[in-house]
Amino acid sequence: MPEIAFKIEKEYLAPIGEMSMRIAELFGDKLAISVDLPRDDPELAEAWQDGLVETLHQDMRCLVNFIEDERFGFDSIWLEDSVAEGVLRACSAIRVKIRELYLGGLSDAQLEEGDFDGSLLDQEGKGAYLTYTSLALLQEAIIGAMSGTSL
Amino acid sequence: MTNTLLEEKVETQVQPSLDTPWSVVVMNDPVNLMSYVVMIFMRIFGFSKEKATRHMKEVHEGGRSILWSGAREEAEHYTHVLQQWQLNCRLEHNA
């Protein structure tokens, strides 16, 4: 059971939580990534899509519960392995969506290296970028914690 | 006799395509962290860290990497699991 030690400035907690919740609500029956479904078997394609949507919803619940924990951002939180996995996947899904919705004007290299003028982003874009980078840090913290456990 | 021979001939022509493996291919994406991708490859395929890192670099630098090849049902399973992890992944039939 990994212990997640993830600390961020208190002033960033609310914008990260709000942006994450907003993106989570957008999914509905949609996926974060585009998926090639099996074309020769409609039943399999439907089950395939439904399975991915169900996992995405479960993962979002894991992340929302994690963010709503009163210790989030300033104290260690122990997570069940399956919950830690869900949080990891949810962070990835939200980052994919943020990239698509808010950061499309930035190149892959700019995003990877953080090499761009942040003042060019509007207020919403800044919140999106803050969430994008913070969730990456959270993923790193979880991966580091999980590497010490036998998952 | 002729029919039997023909059936045998048809069988030998068809069999190889039925046995042709399916490949699980991961494509590059600009979002997921390298450490995240390596961890997924290790967990899902049981790769060593070195092997998982090699595949991750192949994806990052070459745009794609074949992670697994074999029977269709297993390949579908792996593809589905990788997509649950938000990886840009697809199933390819090695025709």
Side-chain angles (χ1 to χ4, degrees):
Chain A
M1 203 161 90
E3 177 189 11
I4 314 301
F6 174 67
K7 294 183 173 58
I8 49 173
E9 296 293 328
K10 197 174 179 181
E11 65 188 281
Y12 296 152
L13 285 174
I16 292 168
E18 284 164 17
M19 176 60 70
S20 299
M21 307 284 186
R22 191 187 313 168
I23 298 288
E25 286 170 6
L26 284 179
F27 287 122
D29 60 352
K30 295 185 180 67
L31 300 171
I33 56 171
S34 127
V35 170
D36 273 343
L37 296 170
R39 292 173 196 166
D40 56 347
D41 187 339
E43 283 185 22
L44 175 61
E46 188 179 350
W48 191 293
Q49 167 97 7
D50 290 348
L52 292 176
V53 169
E54 188 180 338
T55 301
L56 181 60
H57 288 174
Q58 288 169 355
D59 293 344
M60 287 302 150
R61 280 196 290 277
C62 290
L63 179 63
V64 168
N65 290 340
F66 185 67
I67 287 175
E68 288 181 339
D69 190 301
E70 59 187 13
R71 296 163 295 176
F72 175 72
F74 62 91
D75 202 359
S76 295
I77 302 176
W78 293 85
L79 292 180
E80 295 289 339
D81 295 340
S82 61
V83 175
E85 288 182 17
V87 174
L88 265 182
R89 286 191 295 260
C91 288
S92 184
I94 288 179
R95 295 182 74 241
V96 167
K97 211 65 190 170
I98 285 177
R99 172 80 167 94
E100 176 192 326
L101 294 177
Y102 297 100
L103 305 174
L106 298 173
S107 71
D108 295 347
Q110 282 178 309
L111 265 182
E112 274 182 28
E113 293 158 22
D115 182 22
F116 64 94
D117 183 358
S119 66
L120 296 177
L121 295 172
D122 61 18
Q123 201 57 34
E124 200 170 38
K126 285 176 184 164
Y129 184 66
L130 171 69
T131 307
Y132 184 87
T133 53
S134 299
L135 292 185
L137 292 173
L138 174 57
Q139 284 186 304
E140 293 282 15
I142 294 173
I143 291 166
M146 285 168 70
S147 65
T149 64
S150 55
L151 289 167
Chain B
M1 284 292 282
T2 309
N3 283 345
T4 307
L5 283 173
L6 180 61
E7 282 171 14
E8 284 174 4
K9 188 177 179 184
V10 168
E11 265 189 26
T12 53
Q13 286 173 339
V14 171
Q15 198 62 32
S17 75
L18 290 174
D19 287 344
T20 307
W22 292 70
S23 293
V24 178
V25 183
V26 170
M27 317 297 290
N28 192 29
D29 76 69
V31 174
N32 285 307
L33 302 171
M34 294 182 188
S35 56
Y36 175 79
V37 175
V38 167
M39 185 209 69
I40 293 167
F41 291 173
M42 290 170 68
R43 292 173 52 70
I44 293 176
F45 297 100
F47 290 169
S48 65
K49 187 163 189 178
E50 291 71 27
K51 185 173 181 182
T53 302
R54 275 203 307 276
H55 279 285
M56 179 276 293
K57 284 184 176 170
E58 196 176 8
V59 173
H60 188 64
E61 293 162 8
R64 55 180 267 145
S65 180
I66 297 174
L67 292 186
W68 190 89
S69 290
R72 178 173 182 172
E73 200 169 319
E74 273 181 280
E76 285 174 347
H77 168 73
Y78 284 132
T79 303
H80 195 250
V81 172
L82 289 169
Q83 289 171 347
Q84 287 176 322
W85 283 89
Q86 311 300 334
L87 293 193
N88 186 2
C89 171
R90 66 182 182 217
L91 194 59
E92 288 184 358
H93 192 201
N94 306 340

